[in-house]
Amino acid sequence: MRSSVCLPPAPLGFSAVSTGLVRRTEKEAVGRPIDHGCQTWDNLTLIFTNLIIPLRIRSRVVMTPMPMEIFMDLEKLGINFDHIWQKTLTVLNPLKPADGSIMNETDLAGPILFCVALGATLLLAGKVQFGYIYGMSAIGCLGIYALLNLMSSSGVSYGCVASVLGYCLLPMVILSGSAVFFSLQGTIGTVLALVIIVWCSLSASKIFISALDMEGQQLLVAYPCALLYGLFALLTVF
């Protein structure tokens, strides 16, 4: 004969299924009086199971999607992912016309990312050049900023110059990524570095003349940009 254990009344919150199962077990106990204040070991196991399973379900980690408010807050800070993607595609395709309204924005999220990527790929190649990258970027942006303000009638802000030059640094990241797998100190490396310099300078000059309405002056703008990106190429090759 199984012993009985006295338990307090069932707490609130039990489901109707668990209550029905308890009553069914009580009815199946033939020859014993039903005492609602005293449950058997079978009822104790049933109650324990009904308590643990909901707790396990509640303890599961549920991954929720990122709310759109986060993207809206980033756009308030000036980080527009759509514009970043369009600028990146404009740099990757030098023959694609640039949208002057988008390129005239002071967006430094992409340039900082590309500068960090350039330093990281050089680090993988065994070169710690983070200080040179940021130093040459600041001085080069200052020189191009002064030159463009002398050449254009509308003028340009320093943030816009830094944004354009930083986005056009993306092909240089490709060059530094190639230095991780093979040495660039040879004929192939020299030719590849020259192609990357022309690529960066043409993309930057195309964006500048589109944003500042400087038609017919792309070569004049591309020359100083090529000098700046040539320094980055020397830093990458040697």
Side-chain angles (χ1 to χ4, degrees), residues 30-44:
V30 181
R32 288 180 295 175
I34 298 176
D35 187 6
H36 292 283
C38 185
Q39 305 288 345
T40 62
W41 280 105
D42 294 336
N43 295 338
L44 179 62

Side-chain angles (χ1 to χ4, degrees), residues 5-224:
V5 177
C6 294
L7 296 175
L12 296 177
F14 278 113
S15 62
V17 177
S18 61
T19 306
L21 291 174
V22 171
R23 292 178 180 176
R24 179 181 174 184
T25 306
E26 291 176 351
K27 292 179 181 180
E28 290 176 356
V30 181
R32 288 180 295 175
I34 298 176
D35 187 6
H36 292 283
C38 185
Q39 305 288 345
T40 62
W41 280 105
D42 294 336
N43 295 338
L44 179 62
T45 305
L46 183 62
I47 293 173
F48 181 77
T49 303
N50 290 330
L51 283 173
I52 293 300
I53 292 178
L55 289 177
R56 288 181 178 176
I57 294 175
R58 294 192 190 102
S59 64
R60 292 178 181 175
V61 179
V62 180
M63 299 299 293
T64 57
M66 184 180 293
M68 293 302 298
E69 287 79 5
I70 296 179
F71 293 100
M72 296 176 63
D73 294 337
L74 291 177
E75 290 182 359
K76 291 179 181 178
L77 295 175
I79 302 176
N80 193 323
F81 292 100
D82 185 31
H83 289 181
I84 292 175
W85 178 246
Q86 292 182 13
K87 292 178 183 179
T88 304
L89 293 180
T90 303
V91 173
L92 291 177
N93 186 7
L95 301 179
K96 178 182 178 181
D99 188 357
S101 61
I102 296 178
M103 297 302 171
N104 205 15
E105 297 177 352
T106 305
D107 174 25
L108 297 179
I112 292 176
L113 177 62
F114 295 150
C115 285
V116 173
L118 179 61
T121 51
L122 289 177
L123 184 62
L124 292 176
K127 304 174 184 178
V128 184
Q129 307 288 359
F130 286 97
Y132 288 102
I133 291 173
Y134 288 113
M136 290 192 305
S137 299
I139 297 175
C141 290
L142 186 62
I144 300 296
Y145 165 74
L147 182 63
L148 290 178
N149 279 320
L150 292 175
M151 294 177 63
S152 64
S153 58
S154 59
V156 64
S157 64
Y158 182 81
C160 179
V161 173
S163 177
V164 173
L165 293 178
Y167 272 103
C168 294
L169 199 63
L170 178 58
M172 198 62 61
V173 177
I174 300 175
L175 180 65
S176 61
S178 302
V180 178
F181 302 100
F182 58 89
S183 176
L184 298 176
Q185 298 182 10
T187 305
I188 298 178
T190 303
V191 174
L192 184 60
L194 291 175
V195 171
I196 294 296
I197 292 172
V198 173
W199 186 357
C200 294
S201 58
L202 286 180
S203 298
S205 60
K206 174 191 65 176
I207 295 173
F208 281 132
I209 64 172
S210 176
L212 301 177
D213 295 330
M214 299 171 60
E215 296 296 334
Q217 303 183 38
Q218 183 174 2
L219 294 179
L220 295 177
V221 178
Y223 177 70

Side-chain angles (χ1 to χ4, degrees), residues 218-237:
Q218 183 174 2
L219 294 179
L220 295 177
V221 178
Y223 177 70
C225 294
L227 294 178
L228 175 61
Y229 290 117
L231 295 177
F232 286 104
L234 290 176
L235 192 67
T236 303
V237 174

